[in-house]
Amino acid sequence: MRFRDILMTLLIGLGLWQALVIITDAPHFILPSPWRVAQAAYKSRVIIAENTWVTAIEVVLGLLIGTLLGVATAIQLAMSKTVERLMLPILVFTQAVPVFALAPLLTLWFGYGMGSKIVMAVLIIYFPVTSAFHDGLTRIDSGYRDLSISMGAGGWNFMRYIQIPQALPSLGTGLRLAAVYAPIGAVIGEWVGASKGLGYLMLLANGRAKIDLMFASLIVLACLTVFLHITIGVLATRLNRYAQGVTN
Amino acid sequence: MTTSPGITLKGQHRIGGRVLFDADLLIPGGQWTCLLGRSGVGKSTILRLILGLETGGLFSGSFAATDGMPLAGRISYMAQSDLLLPWLSVLDNVCIGARLRGESPHFGRARDLLNRVGLSDHTDQKPATLSGGMRQRAALARTLFEDRPILFLDEPFSALDAGTRADMQELASDVLQDRTVLLVTHDPAEAARLAHQIIVMSAQATQNWPVPETVALREINAPETLACQAKLLAYLRGIAA
């Protein structure tokens, strides 16, 4: 059922695209037809695959590191009022700096390789993950807190056995956002300066007027993001079900 | 088993300058004391105060155990909401106190307690799969697992249907024998059934209410239970008016 829906949407999208090509009669170096793009994708499949692999690794590592940092920060903020008072304004302020504006600087500091793109992805997802998880950790049912105090709970044990499990659905929400943002971070990083990756390939194709290859890269990037979105979505649903104690 | 201590409390509790209550209480050791009064009079606040929880006000006065030992760590608490953690099994919920204190839980004892409250077939289930009454029985087992001489029960049966409530009263009365129990309740019938002592609370004062001469746990339909319940209800309606 779901697969059929996706297939239908895909066919409608392709139909509209083809219709646009026919109606506007745009030259193929402005708007290539789906068929042309498919041909380009097949012809350049090796180069596309290589660059997809690079971007995928950047995105996945960015997601992992960003999530770990975000989770650790949120726990620190929730454990200590002092840390929260000091850190929260700094975190909010850093959000006022557009991460894209940092891309040239990151390239300068971390080089043209994967490093700067991973840092970029980490930076872009760090705040949504921290903020969502921190929100979940602090929005604790006061009854649980009362019960724990009456039981003589220590701060870390309360965090470990009650706050963290209860906040997992909020972490899931943060991760869903992160799954969409992380590829953006990596690609922006690649645009600013890179020798590999889908963002780099798009720029390269654009510079050589191979618009069909550029479209093909774009579609692969979109597929990568959708795949990530679905995978993280499954994980987030599991976190939700776990926290609610719903077994399959 | 050592005898459970009683508790004395004398003093005034203020919230934002307004006196919430002015109380002088003796909660006898090893007995059930039921605390009644209209909503907002500060019944739960007394429990929270003695438990060391946030009350949103300032208490001037004192409270202590009758045996002169500190109260901290000797009271367990059961609220209206069962507060079972949805992600843990019933068994793990019963043991949560040990985990929270960083101790390794004694699962054998937890199973015994679950057996005692009639949940031995549900130890591995998640709370979401249990009925309201079963959940409250699991919460009772968790309270018993703490094995403390004093128990504070804050309307623990009020959300249950009438039949389940009566069952729970009987179960609690049985398993909490010889412990010092302070039960906050809105239900005159519950107090008339369970109490060794009834305290009616108003903003100005606390007063001891005569309990039936029969032994708790009393029959629901015994004439003295019904009479006590009716008088209490009439009085509570009077002070609420």
Side-chain angles (χ1 to χ4, degrees):
Chain A
M1 180 69 191
R2 235 189 111 180
F3 180 73
R4 216 176 62 186
D5 289 348
I6 294 171
L7 200 69
M8 279 301 286
T9 315
L10 208 65
L11 284 176
I12 291 171
L14 285 175
L16 287 172
W17 180 1
Q18 184 62 51
L20 201 66
V21 171
I22 294 169
I23 292 165
T24 59
D25 197 22
H28 65 81
F29 54 86
I30 299 290
L31 182 64
S33 68
W35 176 241
R36 233 190 138 84
V37 171
Q39 279 178 313
Y42 182 74
K43 214 169 80 185
S44 311
R45 60 190 182 279
V46 176
I47 190 172
I48 289 177
E50 279 171 4
N51 287 287
T52 305
W53 177 244
V54 170
T55 304
I57 288 181
E58 290 164 359
V59 169
V60 170
L61 283 179
L63 261 177
L64 279 176
I65 299 170
T67 303
L68 284 177
L69 287 177
V71 164
T73 311
I75 291 175
Q76 280 303 315
L77 291 175
M79 290 266 305
S80 157
K81 284 275 163 218
T82 320
V83 175
E84 190 177 10
R85 266 201 307 274
L86 290 172
M87 282 284 290
L88 219 49
I90 298 176
L91 270 176
V92 173
F93 177 74
T94 56
Q95 282 309 290
V97 181
V99 182
F100 310 130
L102 292 177
L105 198 61
L106 294 178
T107 309
L108 178 72
W109 286 347
F110 298 99
Y112 279 78
M114 279 190 183
S116 55
K117 286 80 195 170
I118 295 171
V119 174
M120 189 79 187
V122 168
L123 282 182
I124 208 166
I125 70 158
Y126 173 69
F127 191 77
V129 172
T130 306
S131 158
F133 194 40
H134 176 249
D135 197 42
L137 289 174
T138 46
R139 218 171 349 100
I140 185 97
D141 183 335
S142 64
Y144 288 144
R145 201 176 284 281
D146 293 345
L147 186 71
S148 306
I149 294 172
S150 80
M151 286 174 163
W156 170 244
N157 285 328
F158 179 64
M159 174 60 76
R160 177 176 163 195
Y161 290 110
I162 298 183
Q163 273 179 293
I164 293 179
Q166 194 194 246
L168 289 178
S170 304
L171 178 63
T173 309
L175 288 179
R176 279 179 203 267
L177 281 175
V180 178
Y181 289 161
I184 300 177
V187 168
I188 300 264
E190 287 168 0
W191 280 352
V192 172
S195 52
K196 282 190 182 91
L198 282 173
Y200 159 79
L201 188 61
M202 284 165 74
L203 278 193
L204 187 80
N206 192 28
R208 296 184 182 177
K210 290 186 171 178
I211 306 302
D212 42 7
L213 178 59
M214 192 184 163
F215 265 75
S217 311
L218 191 63
I219 289 168
V220 172
L221 180 66
C223 291
L224 182 70
T225 306
V226 168
F227 174 72
L228 207 63
H229 183 70
I230 292 172
T231 311
I232 297 280
V234 170
L235 178 70
T237 310
R238 284 197 174 197
L239 291 177
N240 242 332
R241 295 173 71 91
Y242 172 79
Q244 286 166 6
V246 186
T247 38
N248 296 321
Chain B
M1 185 179 170
T2 52
T3 39
S4 306
I7 299 174
T8 55
L9 178 142
K10 188 171 167 54
Q12 214 177 47
H13 194 76
R14 289 170 178 275
I15 293 179
R18 185 180 67 88
V19 177
L20 180 67
F21 62 77
D22 198 345
D24 187 357
L25 298 177
L26 168 65
I27 299 150
Q31 295 193 358
W32 281 67
T33 300
C34 293
L35 192 57
L36 282 105
R38 54 182 293 196
S39 294
V41 80
K43 302 185 296 292
S44 299
T45 308
I46 287 190
L47 300 194
R48 299 183 64 84
L49 189 70
I50 302 175
L51 279 165
L53 302 176
E54 181 56 51
T55 59
L58 202 68
F59 178 69
S60 51
S62 62
F63 52 86
T66 51
D67 60 2
M69 309 272 282
L71 280 165
R74 292 203 290 166
I75 310 173
S76 57
Y77 170 62
M78 188 174 166
Q80 179 180 355
S81 151
D82 55 67
L83 295 174
L84 295 174
L85 300 168
W87 53 88
L88 293 184
S89 69
V90 170
L91 183 67
D92 285 326
N93 262 295
V94 171
C95 301
I96 187 68
R99 291 215 194 277
L100 286 171
R101 285 185 296 275
E103 302 159 1
S104 50
H106 193 315
F107 288 112
R109 201 164 70 78
R111 281 184 204 281
D112 287 346
L113 290 171
L114 282 168
N115 193 19
R116 216 168 151 197
V117 299
L119 287 178
S120 51
D121 293 338
H122 305 275
T123 51
D124 298 327
Q125 278 174 244
K126 297 282 168 64
T129 62
L130 304 182
S131 69
M134 288 160 108
R135 291 172 65 106
Q136 214 45 324
R137 275 190 274 160
L140 182 62
R142 180 188 59 202
T143 314
L144 288 171
F145 185 82
E146 296 298 290
D147 198 22
R148 295 179 178 187
I150 306 169
L151 286 103
F152 282 2
L153 312 181
D154 195 354
E155 300 183 49
F157 316 132
S158 58
L160 303 175
D161 66 79
T164 313
R165 191 186 313 157
D167 293 345
M168 275 303 288
Q169 288 165 352
E170 280 156 27
L171 177 65
S173 168
D174 178 34
V175 297
L176 299 180
Q177 261 181 20
D178 301 323
R179 309 213 190 200
T180 306
V181 178
L182 179 56
L183 170 70
V184 165
T185 177
H186 276 296
D187 181 3
E190 190 165 83
R193 250 197 121 189
L194 288 166
H196 296 101
Q197 184 190 225
I198 296 174
I199 297 174
V200 179
M201 204 175 155
S202 65
Q204 293 75 33
T206 46
Q207 61 160 310
N208 281 22
W209 188 268
V211 289
E213 285 179 3
T214 46
V215 182
L217 171 95
R218 301 175 188 92
E219 286 299 324
I220 301 173
N221 54 0
E224 54 278 2
T225 315
L226 292 171
C228 175
Q229 172 189 344
K231 278 186 192 158
L232 258 176
L233 181 61
Y235 180 76
L236 290 169
R237 292 182 76 183
I239 58 173

